[in-house]
Amino acid sequence: MSQSPHDRTDRLKAVLGPTNTGKTHLAIERLCAHSSGMIGFPLRLLAREVYDKVCAIKGPAQVALITGEERIEPPTARYLLCTVEAMPMSADLAFVALDEAQLAADRERGHIFTDRVLHARGREETMLLGSATIEPAIRALLPRAEIVSRPRFSTLSHGGAKKLSRIPPRSAIVAFSAEQVYAVAEMLRRFRGGAAVVMGALSPETRNKQVELYQNGEVDYLVATDAIGMGLNLDIEHVAFAGLSKFDGIRQRRLTSAEMAQIAGRAGRHQRDGTFGTLAGSGGHDAEFSPEEIYAIEEHRFPPQTRLLWRETELDFASLDTLIADLSRPPERAELAPAIQAIDLAVLRRLAEDAEIRDAVRGSRQVQRFWQVCCLPDFRNQGAETHSRFVARLWQDLRDGQLGGDFVARAIAELDNPAGDIDTLQMRIAAIRSWSYISQRPDWVLAKEEMAARARAVEARLSDALHARLTERFVNRRTSVLMKKLGPDAALLPVKLVDDDEVEVDGEGIGHLVGFRFQVDPLCRLADRKLLLAAAERHLPVLLKQRAEALLAELDGGAPRLAFDGSRLLWDNDEIARLETGRSLLAPRLKLDPPLEGLASEQRKRLLAALTVWLDRALAPLEPLRQIETAASDPESGPELRALLIRLTEAGGLIDRTASGIEGLTADRRSSLRTLGARIGALDIYVPAMLKPAPLQAWRTLQAARGHSVPPPVPHMPSVVGLPEEGTVPPGYRQLGRQAVRVDVADKLIRQAHDRREASRKKRDFVLDPALAISTGLNTDSYSRLLRLAGFMARVPTPLGEGVCGPQLLPLWSWQPPARRSPVRAVPQHSHSRPQPEPANAFAALARLLP
């Protein structure tokens, strides 16, 4: 049993002090100043970080990385960076250092650190780095050691309790369970764009990538467990505790002031001051610092560590009983305390109770090999019971030799699956870390180098997948970018339009530009909408200006992609303005879409002027109506004509003659009306120039601005159109049952009928030729309706008697002036003795419509 210090040199130095005192940096400097050396770290992550630094100084050929799961050992390596458990204690090196020596009091690993404090020595210099709390133990155990105290480079002060929404950027929030870490990270994603996540359960590769997210500024927040307190050097300005108690493997307890300080000390690195505090509303009374704790953390005053945990290292492997006895032996010195049973000893005790295993493990070599298997770390944190079953299966395969390459390759391949959620990937990474450890043992695996490389490759792939899942779940890069850029430097943010409508800010899509209106990305969360709208308000003026210039260029070129949809003016199918009533019916005005108010005043005026010119051209087909509107405001036209002209203007150039007041106009006034382009028809007063698709569409647009709905004009305006059962009559047409006839065609047919009447000598009982009506597409039913509306009446001749031969007699028509017309009568019922007209006769339908 070795309990006393073993010093190879008088140059044993303990460099003690709080966090941020440059202890690790000093150790690296001293390492590189010697011809050879080694530093032991508490975490593989820290060993890897310092390995990269020393490689940059000395070159990779001279530097080795030695951990339980990864070994990079060039043949010429003289500088070793190790985890504490993997330190080669028999190596003859000029310099040896141990980092975080105060962990000699840790319940799980303390005995290993104590062994390194007592026995790890360099030929020329040995350095112990740690907290000042370990000073009494070092003075008692190593009286020849030189104690060097280093002050903290910056000030650490209490910042009080803050709500999560008030936590400043560049902060770390520390929680003590995975559930709490996830909850805080999720809230930060919603409010601040996300956070990097650091937990002890993550692989070193995943932790490195998450830390890089924070260090590179992609996120401003870090959510971590107390693993952050172990040597991670980050640019943290504030540390917020989500709680002040944790489960230590045995019970839930409050953190000690030294543990609080170790975590809080991550804030204010180098010369920058830092603050610490709690997360308001995160728990009960135990989530607040006491005044004594605040004083202790700020002034670095903590209870001293007077006893270090110790376990025998010179073991007797004669049998399992002697091995367990040695591992359970208490220390003889008062400065050392017996180590709490670690998981390796717990597994050994459990498996030693198995009679089959006990009988198989005989002889010092077998016992030593069995102990090495029991020392396999519990990377999955499943506890002694579950971990011992895994160790038992491993021992069954290792008892009689080495693991075959095929067996290990299959085990590794089963874990090579990057699919799954965060928890699933963490379990696979923990499992592959076990196989990485197994593959590193020199006498456990055939094809050791190949299997170790495979395990590292699988761990790297799983770590990449886990990093992607964490980033996907807890980082909204779009929100993060916007949160950082909504400050005074917003104008410097790169903003661009992709695919002519997608708006990107610093490479992140935030929505679409529909016309000049910004629409938030529909896939964003509700909590992000205000943020994205705020970002758009700051960053869109440049894009709006560019889009306005593009529209102006189209207007100047004479072929803009503009069209009306009702009263909405569309540019490339996106609304940019609305048509509103102006100073007169035919002089509407455009009101720009509200987003265009964000344009500069001069540019907005130019755009409105150019759109107004385009509007005038679009409404040019209404010029005949404008002439009528002008005449309606001329007092020289007389009140009767002016009233008719006003009604004609308001009706779009078509009014029914019956209610027009035309009968009250003198011949001169009627002549003036005709001069203005209007035509006085038998049924309607209309403007022929308005009976075309372009002016009717322009009129429809004006009516939409007044809030009136008008059916669209018929393309090409044929003479006759059919009507559906419940269809509306298109503008410019008069309804005749299931057909509608254009009003000028109807007027032409009625004038033909009057011409025929005038040509008849009797002026009564004349015959009408239906050829013109049929050529326009009117059927006999519609034609007869039109004639009746114009005052024509038909008399059907007496049919030929039975057996009488002769030509078919045609209906005889007469016309009654409006003043002498009688009310329309019902169709008379004919005698049954009178034969009905033949259905094939073109005028047979007239018999059912005659008065």
Side-chain angles (χ1 to χ4, degrees), residues 38-51 64-73 80-88 109 204-205 377 379 433 436-442 448 452 456 459:
M38 170 175 63
I39 305 178
F41 295 95
L43 297 175
R44 173 186 170 192
L45 179 68
L46 297 178
R48 182 77 201 211
E49 179 183 338
V50 177
Y51 167 78
L65 175 67
I66 304 175
T67 70
E69 305 143 72
E70 184 178 13
R71 301 178 77 93
I72 303 174
E73 297 180 273
L80 315 181
L81 290 312
C82 318
T83 51
V84 171
E85 288 84 350
M87 292 175 70
R109 304 168 67 199
E205 288 82 1
F379 292 108
R433 290 180 70 187
S436 294
Y437 183 94
I438 292 169
S439 299
Q440 294 294 339
R441 302 297 300 178
K448 166 181 168 292
R456 286 196 302 270
E459 182 178 356

Side-chain angles (χ1 to χ4, degrees), residues 139-326:
R139 288 191 181 278
L141 292 169
L142 306 172
R144 297 169 59 187
E146 177 187 356
I147 305 296
V148 178
S149 297
R150 292 177 68 93
R152 182 178 167 87
F153 290 154
S154 59
T155 300
L156 187 62
S157 57
H158 182 238
K162 292 183 174 66
K163 292 183 178 179
L164 189 62
S165 58
R166 300 287 185 180
I167 296 293
R170 311 311 295 169
S171 292
I173 296 90
V174 180
F176 296 94
S177 69
E179 293 77 11
Q180 196 174 29
V181 167
Y182 293 161
V184 173
E186 182 66 29
M187 286 189 286
L188 284 172
R189 182 194 186 279
R190 294 174 55 194
F191 300 140
R192 292 291 183 268
V197 173
V198 173
M199 298 187 295
L202 301 183
S203 68
E205 288 82 1
T206 306
R207 273 182 285 179
N208 280 340
K209 291 177 180 178
Q210 287 291 302
V211 166
E212 187 178 359
L213 271 181
Y214 177 82
Q215 290 293 83
N216 290 345
E218 292 189 49
V219 293
D220 274 333
Y221 299 89
L222 182 74
V223 185
T225 59
D226 52 347
I228 192 179
M230 199 58 63
L232 285 176
N233 297 316
L234 305 174
D235 297 326
I236 297 173
E237 298 177 6
H238 179 77
V239 172
F241 288 75
L244 294 175
S245 62
K246 70 171 185 177
F247 182 73
D248 63 3
I250 299 178
R251 60 187 175 86
Q252 187 77 15
R253 65 170 177 82
R254 189 175 179 85
L255 300 174
T256 66
S257 57
E259 290 171 330
M260 295 175 183
Q262 185 71 25
I263 297 169
R266 298 302 104 191
R269 307 304 291 172
H270 306 298
Q271 300 295 324
R272 294 193 305 273
D273 293 340
T275 58
F276 68 96
T278 54
L279 200 59
S282 62
H285 65 279
D286 68 331
E288 298 178 1
F289 289 104
S290 68
E292 294 78 13
E293 290 167 339
I294 294 172
Y295 173 79
I297 296 170
E298 291 182 339
E299 301 298 327
H300 317 298
R301 299 287 189 267
F302 309 110
Q305 294 176 240
T306 56
R307 302 179 74 194
L308 305 184
L309 297 181
W310 175 88
R311 191 173 75 181
E312 181 63 77
T313 57
E314 295 183 2
L315 304 175
D316 183 357
F317 295 107
S319 67
L320 290 179
D321 290 335
T322 60
L323 174 62
I324 294 173
D326 277 352

Side-chain angles (χ1 to χ4, degrees), residues 1-79:
M1 179 176 64
S2 298
Q3 299 179 23
S4 59
H6 172 60
D7 301 337
R8 295 182 185 175
T9 177
D10 292 337
R11 296 201 62 187
L12 173 61
K13 183 182 298 183
V15 181
L16 308 178
T19 56
N20 192 27
T21 56
K23 297 186 294 294
T24 304
H25 181 72
L26 174 63
I28 295 173
E29 286 185 342
R30 297 305 303 152
L31 172 76
C32 294
H34 287 277
S35 60
S36 62
M38 170 175 63
I39 305 178
F41 295 95
L43 297 175
R44 173 186 170 192
L45 179 68
L46 297 178
R48 182 77 201 211
E49 179 183 338
V50 177
Y51 167 78
D52 292 336
K53 291 180 179 179
V54 179
C55 280
I57 300 171
K58 294 294 185 179
Q62 298 192 57
V63 186
L65 175 67
I66 304 175
T67 70
E69 305 143 72
E70 184 178 13
R71 301 178 77 93
I72 303 174
E73 297 180 273
T76 57
R78 295 185 294 120
Y79 302 94

